[in-house]
Amino acid sequence: MIRCKLEYLIKNIEIQSRKRLIFLFDKDSQFEFHRVRTRSIEEFKNSKYDLTDEHQRIMYEVEKDNDESLRKEYENIFKEINEICIDNNTYPIFNDPSNTEECLKLREDLLKEYNEEDIKKFFDGKSLRYYEPPLLRDVYLYPAVFEKEGEGYSVTVPDIFGGVTCGDNYEDALKMAEDMVKMMLIEAPGQCFKPKSLEETKKNFPNDIVVMVKVEIERE
């Protein structure tokens, strides 16, 4: 039943959700779902500490904090998988995302079922590891105002203080705008205010070209 749900999702969901789902179940992932981290929960549960020994007590507290943090992280991932299921009109895979033990066991069973040949069949001959996790990036959309100046364009992003650039043509100006927005978000986030909608910005600049500039920034 679980496998059928997952196959349905993989084959039918839109591409961004598919990439995220692939990432969440990727057995080769070096992020949230690394098997070493999964095993650390089991190891902590089976560990024996002498709490009368100060060194062991400190180690226990450290490992306990790590365990609780991991469990919370996994719980959030399981919830996200369920949300992808619901958004794509199928029943959630996990009955109770807060039951980390059950979810981890089920995840391991799923990974065992999906060998490399299955993956290639589902994803047009590509391995899971070739799909990058897009939601490990933050996506920003800022309205940019393009004003014709001779053969080129000047660009202003009203919601970024000092957000001005230009280009020799429209394509060049758009690329310059994307680079400028990304730089300001990284280097001067305090000068980047909450972006207005495209419609609202168009009302303020009725005689100019207004487009949404999309920028993706990888999370550290």
Side-chain angles (χ1 to χ4, degrees), residues 167-183:
D168 295 332
N169 51 50
Y170 177 79
E171 289 75 18
D172 183 47
L174 179 60
K175 179 66 171 61
M176 294 292 289
E178 291 170 349
D179 290 346
M180 180 269 292
V181 171
K182 186 172 185 176
M183 182 196 71

Side-chain angles (χ1 to χ4, degrees), residues 41 45 67-75 100-101:
I41 290 179
K45 186 175 71 174
D67 178 74
E68 290 176 353
S69 176
L70 267 180
R71 286 175 181 276
K72 187 64 178 176
E73 190 173 345
Y74 278 122
E75 183 180 331
T100 312
E101 301 282 348

Side-chain angles (χ1 to χ4, degrees), residues 49-95:
Y49 292 91
D50 180 3
L51 299 183
T52 62
D53 180 277
E54 184 177 1
H55 177 70
Q56 289 197 41
R57 182 176 56 78
I58 293 172
M59 288 298 298
Y60 169 79
E61 292 297 333
V62 170
E63 293 299 323
K64 181 182 177 183
D65 288 344
N66 289 339
D67 178 74
E68 290 176 353
S69 176
L70 267 180
R71 286 175 181 276
K72 187 64 178 176
E73 190 173 345
Y74 278 122
E75 183 180 331
N76 290 336
I77 293 169
F78 296 136
K79 284 181 179 178
E80 185 176 343
I81 291 171
N82 272 2
E83 287 168 2
I84 291 174
C85 294
I86 293 168
D87 289 345
N88 288 275
N89 300 313
T90 192
Y91 290 107
I93 288 175
F94 299 112
N95 293 326

